[in-house]
Amino acid sequence: MDTNEQNDKKTPKQQMTSFGVLIVVVCFFLSLFAGAGGAFAVINIYPAITGTPKNEAEEFTEGEMHEIPLTEPKGETPNSPSETEKVNTSADPSKDISSENASLPAASEKTKGEVYADAVDSIVGIKAAYERNIPTFFGRYTTQSVTSTGSGFFVTDSGYIVTNYHVIKNATDITVSTFDGSTYKASVRGYEEANDIAVIKIDGSFKSAVTGSSSLLSVGDDILVIGNPLGNLSYTFTDGVVSYLNRLITGDTGTTINMFQTNAAINEGNSGGPVYNMNGEVVGIASAKYASSNIEGLGFFIPIDDVLKMINDIISTGYVTGKPVLGVSLQTISASDAARYGISAGCYVVAVGENTAAFNAGILPADVITAIDGEAVYSVSDMSFILTKRSAGDTVNVRVSRDGTDMIFSITLGEYFPGEARTSYSNVYDF
């Protein structure tokens, strides 16, 4: 029997099986050709969508940036530049740099690596040397040389740097290092101790950071920190999220500072360094001073919106303008101490400055301030918080206890000017 006869005699079931196998084979080859054609089509239409070959890096377009001019005081002053200073900011130039929500719509977000690469040239490491007295025997002291380390960032192209006040406090020699390895001697332009910020100056031309708006932050937002942890791990990059907003933190000066909380790693040496949002804008200033070696995943940043005006003032005049001052040196009298000594709880007046608002109103040493405008004052922290809501020129009603008698004084607050502390006592603070 020949082959044709054998095929003709196949059963219908056998013929259907052969036909099914044939269909599967044909479909397999068709899918291969279709896949190849599809891949070919994707490769060829990519340039039409992106404008660049797929194997080239995609170009990032940064959002619009504006510069706000700062006017220097006329005449020659220490560290006074010869031309108008400019602080890089994303704020609307028609508004004051410190105005609330004074930011343009957010620019496109960057990758973390892009933020680091763009920012690192505007960040510095700081070493501040000072002398401190160490007690020895029989009430004597010996002098010890100490170096404080921290971070900072350029806010103008001409070399003005923002950092924490506690980094450069009492410094007699300040050295600044930049990312390219260069070192410079810096001078102090001014500071605001109550808010733990300072501005120092080096000579040269540098890349300034771009400031954003901390008022636009929300809990859960990504933030990036670049600094100098432990004083020798230069330009270390850490990240985290905003854990909480508007924490009131009391420092060792007895003053209360508004901060936002983070889980990003903050260590000694990070103090004064910038905190970035994902647009590469500075939204805060790190302060390791308020961290603890016994606590992990907890750090605090000074919101940039709270201190931009102060930074501008310090650059322009050397101090913060419009800051209110009573003209007194105060010490907290706790409830237990008040009961022990038979006086009122509140703020004990240790000293009164001559020709100050308090002096002219009739406040005396040994008075105890118990309230301002009806708001109770139990500590120097309370006093600090109350005064942050006032300005120079405001009139307040100050209630004091004098020899057991309550008295009310109407006082027009003066304007703060830098000067020597009124006393050298510990736990006494000037207001």
Side-chain angles (χ1 to χ4, degrees), residues 347-388:
C347 286
Y348 183 84
V349 179
V350 177
V352 180
E354 291 187 8
N355 299 318
T356 62
F359 178 89
N360 294 332
I363 299 293
L364 299 176
D367 284 346
V368 179
I369 298 177
T370 58
I372 294 181
D373 287 339
E375 191 170 353
V377 174
Y378 297 108
S379 65
V380 293
S381 179
D382 292 338
M383 176 66 73
S384 172
F385 182 71
I386 291 171
L387 290 181
T388 58

Side-chain angles (χ1 to χ4, degrees), residues 48-210:
I49 296 174
T50 65
T52 58
K54 189 176 182 181
N55 59 354
E56 291 183 8
E58 295 181 36
E59 182 177 353
F60 174 79
T61 302
E62 191 173 28
E64 184 178 4
M65 247 181 355
H66 296 279
E67 293 185 331
I68 303 299
L70 293 175
T71 303
E72 283 291 329
K74 295 182 179 180
E76 295 195 7
T77 58
N79 304 317
S80 179
S82 59
E83 58 184 23
T84 301
E85 287 300 324
K86 295 181 179 180
V87 173
N88 253 348
T89 176
S90 62
D92 184 339
S94 67
K95 300 179 181 179
D96 184 85
I97 191 172
S98 61
S99 63
E100 187 175 359
N101 296 324
S103 286
L104 296 175
S108 299
E109 289 191 353
K110 303 180 181 181
T111 67
K112 294 178 181 180
E114 287 172 334
V115 172
Y116 182 86
D118 289 346
V120 73
D121 288 326
S122 62
I123 300 169
V124 301
I126 299 172
K127 291 186 177 181
Y130 63 97
E131 304 287 331
R132 71 177 178 185
N133 292 326
I134 304 297
T136 57
F137 299 103
F138 308 112
R140 296 181 180 180
Y141 290 85
T142 184
T143 301
Q144 181 184 46
S145 296
V146 180
T147 299
S148 172
T149 61
S151 306
F153 58 100
F154 290 109
V155 289
T156 71
D157 295 341
S158 62
Y160 282 102
I161 299 166
V162 170
T163 186
N164 285 148
Y165 170 69
H166 74 264
V167 172
I168 56 92
K169 183 178 181 179
N170 299 323
T172 55
D173 183 80
I174 302 173
T175 302
V176 169
S177 59
T178 53
F179 184 63
D180 63 5
S182 301
T183 58
Y184 305 82
K185 291 298 182 182
S187 57
V188 177
R189 176 60 174 163
Y191 54 85
E192 167 55 16
E193 183 176 5
N195 288 276
D196 197 27
I197 63 164
V199 177
I200 61 177
K201 176 73 167 63
I202 63 176
D203 294 328
S205 179
F206 306 93
K207 179 182 178 181
S208 57
V210 179

Side-chain angles (χ1 to χ4, degrees), residues 244-257:
Y244 198 85
L245 296 168
N246 301 317
R247 289 285 192 202
L248 296 179
I249 306 298
T250 301
D252 57 10
T253 62
T255 59
T256 300
I257 304 177

Side-chain angles (χ1 to χ4, degrees), residues 10-18:
K10 285 183 178 179
T11 65
K13 183 176 182 180
Q14 290 174 325
Q15 290 177 352
M16 288 297 293
T17 303
S18 301

Side-chain angles (χ1 to χ4, degrees), residues 4-52:
N4 291 333
E5 290 178 354
Q6 290 177 352
N7 288 338
D8 291 340
K9 292 185 177 182
K10 285 183 178 179
T11 65
K13 183 176 182 180
Q14 290 174 325
Q15 290 177 352
M16 288 297 293
T17 303
S18 301
F19 182 73
V21 172
L22 178 61
I23 290 175
V24 171
V25 172
V26 171
C27 289
F28 174 77
F29 282 102
L30 284 176
S31 66
L32 288 179
F33 284 113
F40 182 81
V42 171
I43 292 171
N44 279 273
I45 67 171
Y46 186 84
I49 296 174
T50 65
T52 58

